[in-house]
Amino acid sequence: MIDVLVVDDDFRVAEINAKYVGKVPGFRVAARAHSAAQALAAVERGTIDLVLLDHYLPDQTGLDLVHRMREQGHGTDVIMITAASDVTTVQQAMRLGALHYLVKPFTFAALRTRLDSYAALRRTVDRVGGRGLTGQEQVDRIFGALRTAPAPSAPGLPTGHSEPTTDLICGVLHRADHPLSAHEVAARTGLSRSTAQRYLRHLEQAGRLRLSLKYGDTGRPEHRYAWVAP
């Protein structure tokens, strides 16, 4: 079994990611962490094979954590799972040795593809490692194990939308006792306002939410969303 450390400052997102990992054969969640300090402590215990790492943590960034891990001699493998999609962060992750970089929101299929390729990498290294590298062919085989095909979007969801994020937003609105604005949904889910608006627009068009307008004294009316019972 491949022991995985799931690191995300959002307890709910960490739980969703952990459930995803548990659905992939050969992987198990050994620990969860919600800060860089907790993650480093888990790595130092020496039982972690792979870290699924968010970049935005309360005490330092995920890349700062990877840098500390490498400085202290921890070669634990890392896959970044984060909303940070700027080129600088992606380049830094590559330079620090992150094996994959998965941008939130994502589907289970996208995560499983990365985990499967990671498992293939470990099998390939085990096969050639015992006898040592004998040439370019073996090197190409190791690097080729990390290649992944683009994962399809979940059925019924537009490109760029994920099931866990959709479920998270639906759960918040289902539990709410009054219609919520995109700003309120973002605050309750930990998502950005633009992401919340994008999902709310899709769910309203799909008939799962009811849109109403709240007029104030000045400015444009506020869009508010309520759960529609099936």
Side-chain angles (χ1 to χ4, degrees):
M1 296 292 289
I2 296 173
D3 287 325
V4 179
L5 169 64
V6 175
V7 184
D8 199 293
D9 66 321
D10 189 314
F11 285 74
R12 293 163 296 184
V13 173
E15 181 64 24
I16 291 171
N17 291 348
K19 288 181 178 178
Y20 276 0
V21 171
K23 293 167 65 176
V24 181
F27 291 82
R28 64 186 175 194
V29 176
R32 299 179 183 84
H34 308 291
S35 68
Q38 291 177 357
L40 184 59
V43 170
E44 288 176 338
R45 287 195 287 269
T47 59
I48 303 299
D49 299 307
L50 174 66
V51 180
L52 300 185
L53 181 61
D54 188 17
H55 182 56
Y56 298 118
L57 299 174
D59 45 354
Q60 63 180 166
T61 69
L63 293 185
D64 287 337
L65 170 61
V66 179
H67 185 68
R68 287 182 62 192
M69 287 167 53
R70 301 304 182 238
E71 280 188 331
Q72 296 180 19
H74 301 297
T76 310
D77 293 322
V78 174
I79 294 178
M80 298 297 296
I81 298 183
T82 177
S85 58
D86 59 283
V87 175
T88 299
T89 302
V90 174
Q91 286 181 326
Q92 289 177 344
M94 292 173 63
R95 289 165 183 160
L96 287 169
L99 297 178
H100 280 299
Y101 198 106
L102 189 57
V103 179
K104 296 177 180 178
F106 58 89
T107 64
F108 167 66
L111 177 58
R112 176 162 188 170
T113 298
R114 273 70 179 179
L115 294 179
D116 285 343
S117 74
Y118 174 72
L121 171 66
R122 289 173 62 98
R123 290 193 298 268
T124 302
V125 171
D126 287 343
R127 282 198 299 269
V128 302
R131 59 181 183 272
L133 295 177
T134 59
Q136 187 65 48
E137 180 182 352
Q138 285 73 25
V139 174
D140 291 343
R141 191 174 301 161
I142 291 174
F143 277 85
L146 281 175
R147 295 179 188 144
T148 61
S153 298
L157 289 177
T159 300
H161 287 60
S162 74
E163 291 179 273
T165 304
T166 300
D167 292 342
L168 182 62
I169 290 176
C170 288
V172 164
L173 287 162
H174 185 260
R175 293 188 296 269
D177 57 4
H178 62 275
L180 301 178
S181 66
H183 177 77
E184 291 171 321
V185 171
R188 296 189 185 195
T189 58
L191 300 170
S192 69
R193 184 171 180 176
S194 61
T195 298
Q197 286 176 323
R198 182 157 51 89
Y199 277 80
L200 290 168
R201 191 179 305 115
H202 165 68
L203 290 168
E204 188 268 328
Q205 292 173 350
R208 299 175 67 179
L209 303 179
R210 182 178 66 254
L211 172 64
S212 60
L213 301 178
K214 180 181 179 182
Y215 291 88
D217 296 333
T218 59
R220 299 169 62 182
E222 182 181 54
H223 290 192
R224 301 184 71 83
Y225 299 87
W227 178 256
V228 176

